[in-house]
Amino acid sequence: DVKVTQSSRYLVKRTGEKVFLECVQDMDHENMFWYRQDPGLGLRLIYFSYDVKMKEKGDIPEGYSVSREKKERFSLILESASTNQTSMYLCASSFLSFNRGNNQPQHFGDGTRLSIL
Amino acid sequence: KQEVTQIPAALSVPEGENLVLNCSFTDSAIYNLQWFRQDPGKGLTSLLLIQSSQREQTSGRLNASLDKSSGRSTLYIAASQPGDSATYLCAVGFTQAGTALIFGKGTTLSVSS
């Protein structure tokens, strides 16, 4: 079974702090994703990566950055946390469909509920 | 811009009923459609993925269909059980690399015993 592990289930930080959210997958997936989920807004893509050291902006990248130094690990960084970044953050991974000949499903971690005070 | 809509937003049924969840999308140029389940406070669990060339996929009591031309997908759940209570999300994939999904806001299902 695919395992996507997010380092924290719950996290409380203060405004202005630099916050790191970590995600690790064990299936050798090329693609990794960071989403945030908010009531009434659904899931929105923040950033994704299709290879080590590669990153692409999603729909809402402002205020965030990412790092992918190893294939299995994808980090989301809140440079200076603000209260409007309080949310549920979800990491996902998948195979790159070009390499598999068919579209591949995304597999999700359990999420990190982040509160910024 | 691609938009994904799920109706109804919430549904309550007694145990044993067969039910249909609906998903519609505005742009028919999609590569796949994926159905997920989300339990409260948890991440998403992939249920079914339908390639754009397919009409349906089945897994156990679940059957998902896809009609690209009309921009619709349905998730059919047979003989519903209380353990099926969750939020069901559909997501449309619109890149061949599989790198981007657009999600609907979900249908929250409650099955009473």
Side-chain angles (χ1 to χ4, degrees):
Chain A
D1 270 358
V2 176
K3 187 74 173 171
V4 179
T5 303
Q6 295 184 230
S7 54
S8 305
R9 290 297 312 276
Y10 302 94
L11 206 53
V12 180
K13 295 292 182 180
R14 296 203 175 276
T15 303
E17 278 193 66
K18 191 169 186 176
V19 181
F20 293 85
L21 302 183
E22 306 286 347
C23 176
V24 176
Q25 50 93 6
D26 65 356
M27 278 299 294
D28 203 34
H29 285 163
E30 294 91 354
N31 295 332
M32 295 190 75
F33 308 84
W34 276 107
Y35 296 88
R36 64 178 282 178
Q37 185 176 30
D38 300 287
L41 296 176
L43 270 89
R44 293 176 293 167
L45 181 64
I46 305 171
Y47 268 98
F48 69 94
S49 167
Y50 54 89
D51 201 354
V52 175
K53 297 193 185 296
M54 305 302 290
K55 61 183 179 182
E56 294 285 343
K57 292 179 180 179
D59 297 321
I60 51 164
E62 297 78 19
Y64 303 94
S65 62
V66 290
S67 173
R68 193 162 181 205
E69 296 296 320
K70 294 185 178 182
K71 190 175 185 180
E72 67 270 19
R73 185 180 297 270
F74 193 34
S75 302
L76 180 70
I77 303 155
L78 285 64
E79 297 291 343
S80 178
S82 64
T83 55
N84 63 11
Q85 293 178 309
T86 291
S87 186
M88 173 72 137
Y89 288 87
L90 291 162
C91 175
S93 70
S94 73
F95 285 118
L96 187 61
S97 294
F98 285 137
N99 296 350
R100 298 291 186 280
N102 248 344
N103 301 135
Q104 298 293 318
Q106 291 191 15
H107 300 270
F108 282 76
D110 281 339
T112 295
R113 187 163 293 283
L114 175 64
S115 295
I116 307 295
L117 304 179
Chain B
K1 185 181 176 181
Q2 179 75 271
E3 290 184 7
V4 179
T5 303
Q6 292 186 247
I7 294 173
L11 183 63
S12 292
V13 300
E15 182 176 7
E17 270 204 16
N18 301 323
L19 57 100
V20 173
L21 307 182
N22 297 295
C23 174
S24 62
F25 46 94
T26 54
D27 187 343
S28 62
I30 68 169
Y31 285 93
N32 63 72
L33 187 142
Q34 197 168 354
W35 282 94
F36 295 89
R37 168 187 171 134
Q38 185 175 30
D39 293 294
K42 295 291 188 71
L44 280 65
T45 300
S46 178
L47 297 174
L48 291 163
L49 182 147
I50 311 176
Q51 310 289 350
S52 61
S53 58
Q54 296 174 323
R55 297 284 297 193
E56 63 180 322
Q57 279 285 341
T58 298
S59 175
R61 294 183 294 109
L62 305 179
N63 176 277
S65 67
L66 175 63
D67 184 343
K68 270 183 55 176
S69 60
S70 67
R72 293 178 187 276
S73 175
T74 61
L75 180 67
Y76 175 83
I77 302 176
S80 59
Q81 303 169 358
D84 294 330
S85 299
T87 297
Y88 291 82
L89 297 147
C90 76
V92 169
F94 59 93
T95 63
Q96 193 172 6
T99 52
L101 293 177
I102 299 290
F103 283 82
K105 292 186 171 63
T107 294
T108 299
L109 172 66
S110 176
V111 182
S112 56
S113 56

